[in-house]
Amino acid sequence: MIRYIIKRIILMVPAIIATSFIIYFAMNMTGGDPALTLAPENATEQQIEEIREELGLNDPIYVRYGKYMLGMLKGDLGTSYVTKRDVFKTFMERLPNTIELAFTAVLIATLIAVPLGIYTAIHQNTWKDTGGMVFALFGVSMPNFWLGLMLIIIFSLNLKWLPSGGKEGIRSLILPALTVGMGFAALITRTTRSAMLDVIRQDYMTTARAKGASEKTVIFQHGLKNALIPIITVIGMQLSNALTGSVLAETVFSWPGVGRLIVDSISKRDTPMVTGAIIMSCVLMCVVNLVIDLIYAFFDPRIKAQYSRKG
Amino acid sequence: MTDKILEVKDLVVQYVTDDGCVEAVNDLSFSIGKKKTLGLVGETGAGKTTTALSILNLIPSPPGEIKSGSIMLDGSDVLTMDQEELQKMRGNDVAMIFQDPMTALNPVMTIGEQIAESIELHEKISKKESMERAKEMLKLVGIAESRAYDYPHQFSGGMRQRVVIAIALACNPKLLLADEPTTALDVTIQAQVLELIKKLITERDMSMLLITHDLGVVAEVCDDVAVMYAGRIVEIGTAAEIFNETAHPYTEGLFNSLPNLKQRGEKLVPITGMMPDPMDLPEGCSFAPRCPYATEACKKANPGLRHLGGSHYVACQAYERENFKLGGEQ
Ligand SMILES: Nc1ncnc2c1ncn2[C@@H]1O[C@H](COP(=O)(O)OP(=O)(O)O)[C@@H](O)[C@H]1O
Ligand SMILES: [Mg+2]
């Protein structure tokens, strides 16, 4: 098992190199000449050339990429063109905000969706099932920014209960987390429902009932535990999405997270910032996926056995 | 009436599906004596599993529905019990062994936990003690105690069925429902598992409903036999009566299509045709369309059980005719 984990961590290296390579090239081949963007308006050709030299823009791109990757090993992702601040540091400042929003949103989604999914599965083909699924469909089809705006209109502008944006304590977390969470809840509900429907028909559920277990025990102990793998998968996917920044929600609620950092930097043509932030997000995603794979093993002995064999 | 552990009377069970109503069990009556084993024989779809699940009041609903009848278990009617009484009864008074050991065990629980759960549900007992008891049960069915911490996927089919048996017997039930306990196993393992069940039943003075479509198994284990066809019992009696004085044409057909009991007749004759779809049962005797002895009368009315002597009953109108004998008339 430990060997499996180490192997997975080593395997992450080529994955990160490949994605960073693609991102670095894409970012540096497009977007025009940064020296022109950076130079003062009435700069002479010579001044511009000096800036180019200073930024290392005259080296061939693969040399620049090599230097960039060496820097990355030391936690150096360059300096922002706009703020002149360290990219890595800026990203790390924003990351806790995104993590906070992501985890709260996923938590809200899970608390709503998993019970709802189980409930609709147990009452399959009744009006209770239909009601639950209509809710889920509503959640899926409702655009995130629209829901965000509605929540702002109701809870900030009309009722004046909650702030409409920014980040001041727990109160300002509620609306963005609800907005992101509702979108997630829909998908998690549907996944939970279909996983439970699968499990409910299994013979071992009848075995449990025949032992004299109560319906509650049968559903939660025997059923849910077997349905967990797809549920964890979809929750994990949502979490890793949210961790790379919920761009829309962060924008609507002026939430100072990674998503907004990337959007702002793109509009300012801040190439080092965008490149660094996206690459860091990819690293983060790899880590989250690994953690989720390891959680599988915790819940399913068959997967654990598989990992041990592979390890 | 106290010599019976189970008395099923006029049981009717149906599955109401979108395509129609499956008449799975129709007016079924039988009883099992204390410490006796009744073999319930019939081909796939005859309603055997439905019958067994009814005794636990575990028919999946929807689509299943127990329409009428009574199931007296040691004097109390299973069909009128509330949830709490049912939970007390299941596993404790009546336990079931399922047909397919590959799917009957929970894949994410250790087998020790699964046996212990049975005990914890019915006795005030600590987790540690119940685990000890689970290990004893494992030893009893011939599995090393150390394997209590393993998961089902680490066991072969035969071993899993032993685990299922251990779960069923953990609380010393009075009645065991064994639903084709050996059908899904390798032929070489079948005899072992059957032997094990037989031994444990006798040791513990239990009664058993042994469901099978294998008359060989019946001959080995059962005191009494009920032959089931399309949701009805067509012949019932002691094993000796059924084997030596076979009365129903369907039972005769079963024997004739059985290779290892071939000495009864010279050649192997399979029963022609198929069991009617229980969603669309014919009027009259359900077996009439396949019956070599059938007359017009058979297609009109459903035969009731007729007493032949001893505890032997048959549902066949041919016996209205004088001197009717299987194999003799035509
Ligand atoms: N859950 C169910 N839904 C619909 N029909 C069912 C269900 N379970 C069993 N049946 C039908 O009931 C009849 C009897 O089935 P069953 O009791 O399993 O027979 P056996 O165990 O003798 O093979 C069959 O026709 C079967 O298709
Ligand atoms: Mg069956």
Side-chain angles (χ1 to χ4, degrees), chain B residues 48-49 99 179-180:
Chain B
K48 307 182 297 293
T49 301
Q99 178 167 353
D179 188 359
E180 311 207 27

Side-chain angles (χ1 to χ4, degrees), chain A residues 179-208:
Chain A
T179 305
V180 180
M182 288 308 266
F184 292 169
L187 191 59
I188 300 175
T189 305
R190 297 211 301 195
T191 310
T192 306
R193 177 175 179 271
S194 75
M196 282 304 285
L197 281 180
D198 251 13
V199 163
I200 279 173
R201 293 179 230 284
Q202 297 294 323
D203 286 351
Y204 52 77
M205 301 287 272
T206 314
T207 305

Side-chain angles (χ1 to χ4, degrees), chain B residues 15 17 22 24 42-51 60 63-64 99 179-180 211 275 277-278:
Chain B
Y15 295 98
T17 66
V22 182
E43 62 198 279
T44 303
K48 307 182 297 293
T49 301
T50 305
T51 305
Q99 178 167 353
D179 188 359
E180 311 207 27
I211 294 174
M275 200 179 75
D277 183 357

Side-chain angles (χ1 to χ4, degrees), chain A residues 86-106:
Chain A
D86 186 68
V87 168
F88 185 76
K89 259 199 192 134
T90 314
F91 181 85
M92 282 312 193
E93 278 166 19
R94 295 291 194 102
L95 186 61
N97 297 338
T98 288
I99 290 179
E100 189 182 323
L101 178 57
F103 273 90
T104 316
V106 169

